[in-house]
Structure formats: C-alpha cells, structure tokens
Amino acid sequence: MSGSRLFLAVDLDGDGAHPAAWRHSGRRPGSVFTPQALRASVAAAEAAGFTLVTFADAPVPPGDGPAPAGRLEAGTRAAFVSTTTDRIGLAPTLHVTTTEPFHLATQLASLDHASNGRAGWIVGAAGDEASLATIGAPAPDAAALRREVLDVIDAARLLWDSWEDDAVIKESRTGRYLDAGRVHHIDFKGATFTVKGPLITPRPPQGQVVVLAPAALDVDDRADIVLVDGPDAGDRRALAFAEVEIVLGATTAQAAERAARLDADAAWPHSRRIRHVGTSDGLVELLRSLAVTFDGVRLHPAALTADFELLISDVLPVLVDEGLFRPPASGATLRDSLGLPRPANRFAAAS
C-alpha cells in the first residue's frame, strides 16, 4: 500500500535516539529527562503536525547514562500526555514477553479512552536473557517468541471486543449501568498463558487500538502498521512505515561532524534502518523518494535538542507546502488520521 501522501511519526524517547544524546542535551550531569520535558516535546510534535509520536521502552535500561536508567515506562509516559493533546496519536512500546496480556490490553484500552481514541501500540518482543530475567523466565527460541507475539496480539484484540459498543446503557429508570448481554465472556488459551474476560473497561473508542509491529516479527496479518527497516516496503497488507534515523546539519559536513561528536561519547550501533546524516533538504528529498513505496515514515532524531527542532522548522513545513504530508485534524482519532476503518465488533457481528 502506498500513495502520494506520507504519514509521519516521530519517536520521543528521552533526549534522542543516539545513546549519547543526553550528554548533548544541556542538562546537568546526573539529572534525568523530566515529565515536563516530555510534555513539551509531545506538544511541539503536535503543533508541528506529526501524525503520531511513539515511545520506546525495554525491560532493562538500554545503556549507561541517566536518561535511559531513569525513564518512566512507555505506557505511563503516553498516559501522562494523553489529556494535554487533542489530535496526535500516542503509541507506547509494550513487550509481550514481559507484560501480562490482560494488563497489556487493559492499559492500552485505558489509554485510548484517556486520549479520546488516539492510542497505538508498538509490539515489543524482547527475547534476550536479561529481559526475561526480570520476570524469572528463560529466553524463548525464535519459534516460541513468534508464537507468544501472535498469542498476545490475538488475546488483546479479543479482549477489546469483549464489550460491544453499546454495552454501557446508563439506564436511570432501572439503575442498570450496562447491558450484560452485550458484555462477553472470553476464554483464550495461548501456548504459555490463558486469559479469561471480559475486559474491565468498555470497548476502546477506536474499537481496536492501532497495532504497529516491526516487520522482523513477521506478523503483518495481525498489524495495522508494519515498521520496516531498509528502503524496500515489500508487498504488505498493512500500512508500511519506513524506519529512518537522522542526524541533521546546515551542511552534510556539519551533520557528519555532529554524528562524529556523538559517536565519540557512545557508539550508535548500525542497524538495517535507513540512516540520514545530512541536511534538512536532503531529508526532504529522501522522504519524497520513500513516499513512492511507503505509506509513512517513523523518524528517530539522534538528539532532540538539534534534530527534532530542525524537523519542525525546516522539514515539515516543506512537506506540507508540497502536499506530501497533512497534519491530523483536531479531535480526530488515530484511525481517522491514518484513514483506517473502525473495526466492527466480532460479537455484535455474530449476533
């Protein structure tokens, strides 16, 4: 799937995607990235017109330094900014391997209610020994990890449907809050867990929270958006977003110098993601080329103090002027902004 217009997401984890970003943030050594700074970053992203923001997370800190060690859990960060925004999507990373499935589904449904329908979920699947040690479990092999991912997504989607849309009736004459016939018992059996429902909250405003899954998990048929490393979108049934890491400068040489200074403090490991080290104009050209085959792009600014500010001032206005990008409307759900239909409730459809 692709078109002439891109959806734009930005990851706002700590001070930036580069592991040394906190050293270049202007903060005092030993201080942490504050909730106030998070709220300011999300507010700036919304004002600039980003479609959604994402919040990275891991069961264990990703590296040394005060920012990774002191960050709040991603779902908590998303909830914190949910009532201070009105149009930008909010997608935390929640890991299926270390989060209890019923709690995961409830947390995301609650985020969708708090944001009036702007919740997304980046499916995390940490499978290393250190991550699984946080819950006292052994690391799974590749087949078991994929089975767990599929099971948790299926369980969450089933729980989100366990309340029909009109289950809450608030009937003052009889004192009934809900129609029990429209709240459904579920009994999900996965490979490593069972879940009994219904959910403890009504159905999310979007019906189903928007699910974003890395392409490496190979669960395209369960996702609304697939996050793709590399320049080839492939043939996908879901929306395809390219993953792009960025270091910007007034000139390509200046951007390379900035990248070298960051790497001198902590190496930024290369992944299969596209990495743009260059000018804002060069990034605009890259995004134009990606729009041919991708539906959207998730940007990972190396350091928010420099790269995020240049995205807002020099990149997004050009894309808007060219008609390559359109900010979401105030009050729109994330599904509205992405052009995704609101799914019918499987139980209501069956009855």
Side-chain angles (χ1 to χ4, degrees), residues 65-286:
R71 69 181 175 184
L72 298 171
E73 182 265 344
T76 302
R77 282 178 273 156
F80 175 72
V81 298
S82 63
T83 58
T84 65
T85 53
D86 73 349
R87 59 188 177 278
I88 195 165
L90 307 168
T93 299
L94 299 181
H95 287 269
V96 302
T97 47
T98 56
T99 310
E100 195 278 323
F102 189 93
H103 173 74
L104 181 149
T106 303
Q107 185 177 20
L108 290 165
S110 298
L111 176 61
D112 207 44
H113 282 287
S115 63
N116 294 316
R118 290 179 287 114
W121 168 33
I122 298 192
V123 179
D128 59 285
E129 290 185 5
S131 295
L132 272 295
T134 63
I135 59 169
D141 61 27
L145 180 61
R146 184 170 185 273
R147 182 70 262 164
E148 189 77 357
V149 172
L150 292 169
D151 284 347
V152 175
I153 295 174
D154 288 346
R157 288 197 178 279
L158 189 59
L159 284 165
W160 293 332
D161 271 354
S162 61
W163 291 57
E164 295 184 32
D165 290 321
D166 51 0
V168 177
I169 56 177
K170 299 180 182 179
E171 193 174 77
S172 58
R173 181 178 59 83
T174 61
R176 289 198 308 160
Y177 176 74
L178 57 84
D179 181 346
R182 297 173 187 170
V183 181
H184 301 275
H185 176 82
I186 70 163
D187 187 4
F188 182 87
K189 293 180 173 64
T192 65
F193 66 88
T194 61
V195 170
K196 293 184 182 296
L199 202 64
I200 58 175
T201 64
R203 194 176 192 224
Q206 295 184 101
Q208 294 275 318
V209 170
V210 175
V211 176
L212 302 89
L217 295 180
D218 190 25
V219 292
D220 291 19
D221 60 336
R222 304 298 207 280
D224 299 295
I225 296 173
V226 178
L227 302 171
V228 181
D229 293 340
D232 183 11
D235 183 16
R236 302 187 183 278
R237 292 161 52 187
L239 296 177
F241 276 39
E243 297 272 49
V244 180
E245 301 169 340
I246 59 170
V247 183
L248 298 176
T251 65
T252 299
Q254 186 185 79
E257 182 182 353
R258 281 195 58 236
R261 289 201 305 270
L262 288 163
D263 285 340
D265 289 325
W268 194 7
H270 276 279
S271 64
R272 295 184 60 233
R273 289 175 177 169
I274 299 168
R275 183 173 294 179
H276 173 78
V277 180
T279 64
S280 297
D281 288 344
L283 178 59
V284 170
E285 185 59 35
L286 172 62

Side-chain angles (χ1 to χ4, degrees), residues 257-341:
E257 182 182 353
R258 281 195 58 236
R261 289 201 305 270
L262 288 163
D263 285 340
D265 289 325
W268 194 7
H270 276 279
S271 64
R272 295 184 60 233
R273 289 175 177 169
I274 299 168
R275 183 173 294 179
H276 173 78
V277 180
T279 64
S280 297
D281 288 344
L283 178 59
V284 170
E285 185 59 35
L286 172 62
L287 296 177
R288 289 192 193 107
S289 68
L290 292 174
V292 176
T293 54
F294 284 91
D295 302 288
V297 173
R298 181 165 69 141
L299 297 164
H300 299 262
L304 297 189
T305 50
D307 303 301
F308 184 45
E309 293 177 5
L310 288 172
L311 277 175
I312 290 172
S313 62
D314 296 353
V315 177
L316 265 68
V318 176
L319 300 179
V320 171
D321 288 344
E322 292 185 1
L324 190 63
F325 167 67
R326 184 173 63 191
S330 178
T333 68
L334 181 54
R335 285 188 172 274
D336 290 338
S337 298
L338 294 167
L340 295 172

